[in-house]
Amino acid sequence: MIPVTHDYLSFALGLRRAGVTETLIRFEEQRLIRKMRGVLQIHGIPPPKAALFDERDRCRS
């Protein structure tokens, strides 16, 4: 789960808030994410450590 708002995402991505909201709705319809007030839950992505590091804790290229 990621604590984030639509306002923050629109600011960080340089997009209109309405565009962020529409996109998040589409992602939720495709069951890629679950959005709740102030929180996004992303489905089908490994935890950050598993995605960024191998078993020897060296960053993958």
Side-chain angles (χ1 to χ4, degrees):
M1 288 197 182
I2 302 170
V4 67
T5 63
H6 294 198
D7 284 331
Y8 175 77
L9 284 175
S10 67
F11 172 77
L13 298 171
L15 302 171
R16 293 179 315 116
R17 185 182 182 280
V20 169
T21 300
E22 291 171 12
T23 302
L24 291 176
I25 289 170
R26 289 182 187 157
F27 287 169
E28 191 168 41
E29 289 171 348
Q30 295 174 23
R31 298 184 187 266
L32 299 172
I33 65 166
R34 180 175 176 216
K35 57 185 181 62
M36 297 158 278
R37 188 177 186 98
V39 177
L40 287 178
Q41 183 177 9
I42 302 172
H43 300 286
I45 295 178
K49 184 171 174 78
L52 298 175
F53 297 95
D54 64 16
E55 61 277 353
R56 294 167 297 215
D57 287 333
R58 292 189 310 173
C59 189
R60 294 182 194 167
S61 299

